[in-house]
Amino acid sequence: MNTVLACDLGGTNLRMALVNENGQILYEAKNETPKTKEEIIRRIVLLARACFSEAKKIGCKVKALGMAAPATINSEKGIIMNAPNVPALNGLPFCSILEKELGLKCFLENDANAAAVGEQHFGSAKGANSLIMVTLGTGVGGGIILNNKLWSGIDGTAGEIGHITVEPMGVPCGCGSKGCLEQYSSASAIVRMTKELRVEYPESTLYSRLFFSAKDVYEAGKKGDRLALKVFEQMGFYLGIGLAGLINVLNPEAIVIGGGASKGWELFIMHTIEQIDKRAYKEPARRAKLLKTELADIAGVLGVAKIAFDRIKSVATPGR
């Protein structure tokens, strides 16, 4: 059985899996994402070697490594150009380093692009010819598939949905702009907005907490905490503005929302839909299915595995 290693390097977690051509995960391991590029490389190599050991046990041949990264990338050269949430990787020739370390062909893709491919082939958008993937994680990522092809743009930077401006005079973003969607609809944005708004909600269970996560805000919201509900209202509001513009421009069959912060779906989605209804053309808005991820945090892993298998085949048959 042929397999690939599929690695999803997130701003928070690093996941490595051994995946076959049917999208079956045969083995996986996960760690927190280290802070330095040296440690990130070292951890990827260690996880890859663990997968090699497992592949040997079950008699699988590992054909390639697929890497999904939260960054704008040059996929041809395997270089990370800009990773706002993992800046240690900026300018890193990722694939050449890993190929030397592992003796394995490496393919690099943006993490949200990989998630889009995963959802189209194995998840909630199965069968859709055109879709937009929005990942609400440490940042906000995006992947676009048009006519069954991943749209990367002329420079490979298409799909940077998190850096659509939704509040022109808003919060500064790591990309250098202000008011990006990432600053209002990501997990880190949920924490920031909670801290900013809590002075208005002294009764909130989050009011006096020194440390909390987006998950804590979600749990409070499920219990009716007014501060948490207000934060998710804002999150959904800005997400709806961004998605309405994408619907008007691209007219997709489906929009899939994934990433860790998508777990707050029931707290923000009605506000998102409200803004789409107000701002998007009626027919495209009605047609676009708004879907929650089915694959959750394995979408990127399965997607980059599919990409790796496809690229192996294209290399083997160069005339196609």
Side-chain angles (χ1 to χ4, degrees), residues 112-113 116 130-133 142-146 149-152 158-161 246 250:
N113 284 349
S130 63
L131 67 102
I132 298 169
M133 180 80 206
I144 300 169
I145 293 175
L146 301 175
K149 292 183 179 178
L150 193 59
W151 177 249
S152 299
E160 287 294 334
I161 290 167
L246 291 169
L250 296 174

Side-chain angles (χ1 to χ4, degrees), residues 11 85 135-141 162 182 185-188:
N85 295 307
T135 56
L136 309 177
T138 307
V140 173
E182 182 163 292
S185 295
S186 63
S188 51

Side-chain angles (χ1 to χ4, degrees), residues 97-159:
I97 292 170
L98 290 172
E99 285 171 357
K100 286 176 186 174
E101 288 281 350
L102 298 171
L104 200 63
K105 186 65 180 172
C106 176
F107 302 102
L108 179 65
E109 189 52 79
N110 169 269
D111 60 346
N113 284 349
V117 172
E119 291 291 346
Q120 184 194 32
H121 288 276
F122 307 110
S124 59
K126 200 169 183 180
N129 292 318
S130 63
L131 67 102
I132 298 169
M133 180 80 206
V134 184
T135 56
L136 309 177
T138 307
V140 173
I144 300 169
I145 293 175
L146 301 175
N147 297 327
N148 276 323
K149 292 183 179 178
L150 193 59
W151 177 249
S152 299
I154 190 96
D155 295 310
T157 63

Side-chain angles (χ1 to χ4, degrees), residues 117 121 305-315:
V117 172
H121 288 276
K306 168 69 177 164
I307 289 166
F309 276 117
D310 287 348
R311 290 184 185 171
I312 291 166
K313 289 172 187 173
S314 69
V315 169

Side-chain angles (χ1 to χ4, degrees), residues 20-316:
N20 68 16
E21 290 188 78
N22 298 320
Q24 257 186 307
I25 294 177
L26 306 177
Y27 174 80
E28 68 175 321
K30 186 172 79 168
N31 282 146
E32 284 187 10
T33 301
K35 301 301 179 189
T36 67
K37 64 183 177 184
E38 293 82 8
E39 185 58 25
I40 288 170
I41 295 292
R42 192 181 78 85
R43 198 70 55 86
I44 289 171
V45 169
L46 287 173
L47 293 178
R49 286 175 178 158
C51 287
F52 283 143
S53 296
E54 190 63 26
K56 191 174 181 181
K57 284 181 193 173
I58 58 180
C60 293
K61 184 177 286 188
V62 180
K63 304 291 285 184
L65 166 65
M67 281 293 315
T72 54
I73 63 164
N74 183 321
S75 60
E76 275 188 35
K77 296 181 178 179
I79 296 172
I80 291 180
M81 296 160 61
N82 183 33
N85 295 307
V86 197
L89 300 179
N90 290 350
L92 194 68
F94 216 45
C95 281
S96 64
I97 292 170
L98 290 172
E99 285 171 357
K100 286 176 186 174
E101 288 281 350
L102 298 171
L104 200 63
K105 186 65 180 172
C106 176
F107 302 102
L108 179 65
E109 189 52 79
N110 169 269
D111 60 346
N113 284 349
V117 172
E119 291 291 346
Q120 184 194 32
H121 288 276
F122 307 110
S124 59
K126 200 169 183 180
N129 292 318
S130 63
L131 67 102
I132 298 169
M133 180 80 206
V134 184
T135 56
L136 309 177
T138 307
V140 173
I144 300 169
I145 293 175
L146 301 175
N147 297 327
N148 276 323
K149 292 183 179 178
L150 193 59
W151 177 249
S152 299
I154 190 96
D155 295 310
T157 63
E160 287 294 334
I161 290 167
H163 300 288
I164 294 172
T165 299
V166 292
E167 188 64 77
M169 303 304 292
V171 177
C173 183
C175 73
S177 185
K178 286 185 177 181
C180 292
L181 180 60
E182 182 163 292
Q183 299 305 315
Y184 296 93
S185 295
S186 63
S188 51
I190 289 170
V191 173
R192 193 203 78 245
M193 291 189 295
T194 303
K195 289 176 180 177
E196 290 175 352
L197 289 172
R198 63 181 170 180
V199 67
E200 300 172 29
Y201 299 88
E203 78 285 0
S204 171
T205 56
L206 300 164
Y207 179 76
S208 58
R209 289 184 63 172
L210 292 176
F211 303 104
F212 56 87
S213 66
K215 183 180 178 183
D216 295 325
V217 181
Y218 167 61
E219 294 294 342
K222 284 201 302 182
K223 296 174 184 174
D225 186 287
R226 288 175 59 240
L227 168 59
L229 293 175
K230 183 64 179 177
V231 169
F232 278 99
E233 178 185 338
Q234 286 199 0
M235 173 193 174
F237 172 86
Y238 287 109
L239 182 60
I241 292 173
L243 296 187
L246 291 169
I247 288 169
N248 285 343
V249 172
L250 296 174
N251 189 198
E253 291 177 61
I255 297 174
V256 184
I257 299 177
S262 70
K263 292 173 183 175
W265 176 275
E266 72 269 27
L267 301 183
F268 68 77
I269 199 62
M270 71 289 285
H271 305 295
T272 301
I273 292 169
E274 181 182 1
Q275 292 308 309
I276 290 172
D277 289 345
K278 283 181 180 179
R279 298 169 188 274
Y281 286 121
K282 299 304 175 191
E283 184 61 21
R286 183 194 65 77
R287 182 183 295 276
K289 296 175 183 175
L290 208 55
L291 306 171
K292 186 179 181 182
T293 174
E294 282 184 7
L295 301 178
D297 52 4
I298 63 167
V301 163
L302 293 185
V304 83
K306 168 69 177 164
I307 289 166
F309 276 117
D310 287 348
R311 290 184 185 171
I312 291 166
K313 289 172 187 173
S314 69
V315 169

